[in-house]
Amino acid sequence: MLKKFLVAAAAAAMVMGPAAVAQADDIVRVVENTVTIPVASGGFPGRAAAQASCPPGETRTGGGASVIAGNSHAERYLLHSTQPISGEAWWAFATNTDTTNPGTLKVYAICARVVSTPTLTTPISS
């Protein structure tokens, strides 16, 4: 029985040929945005907010953020919030208590474009 099934599957593959394979149009990408977290001034920490947005036609599926310390102690640079926001974007907020070295805030959005109806072509009979 298994032999007959494999022969039938092979015959169908030969008849349909490579033209019957659906094209993969799905895309998953990471979009990022980087901003500088300014130095602390007047007794207040430097503050920065940033967002990364998915291109039109793509859906945000996740995201995140990271803080990169300047030439100072890492505990002076804090990531306070990272969350999805409306409009297929991801947002983050960070502060810097160092008075001489700026830091960096990177925010990421994971975006996907999924084809809901794949294109399937069939061979042309001759």
Side-chain angles (χ1 to χ4, degrees), residues 19-31:
V21 177
Q23 297 293 324
D25 290 335
D26 298 346
I27 292 177
V28 176
R29 76 175 88 226
V30 176
V31 176

Side-chain angles (χ1 to χ4, degrees), residues 5-103:
F5 175 75
L6 292 175
V7 170
M14 287 189 291
V15 170
M16 294 181 75
V21 177
Q23 297 293 324
D25 290 335
D26 298 346
I27 292 177
V28 176
R29 76 175 88 226
V30 176
V31 176
E32 73 177 50
N33 185 19
T34 303
V35 298
T36 298
I37 310 168
V39 298
S41 176
F44 296 99
R47 296 175 175 93
Q51 77 177 43
S53 299
C54 295
E58 295 184 20
T59 300
R60 178 197 64 237
T61 61
S66 65
V67 171
I68 302 164
N71 295 327
S72 185
H73 300 282
E75 67 272 6
R76 295 182 180 175
Y77 306 86
L78 300 174
L79 177 62
H80 291 278
S81 182
T82 174
Q83 61 194 29
I85 60 174
S86 64
E88 304 302 338
W90 198 273
W91 179 86
F93 173 75
T95 60
N96 173 13
T97 59
D98 190 311
T99 58
T100 57
N101 297 294

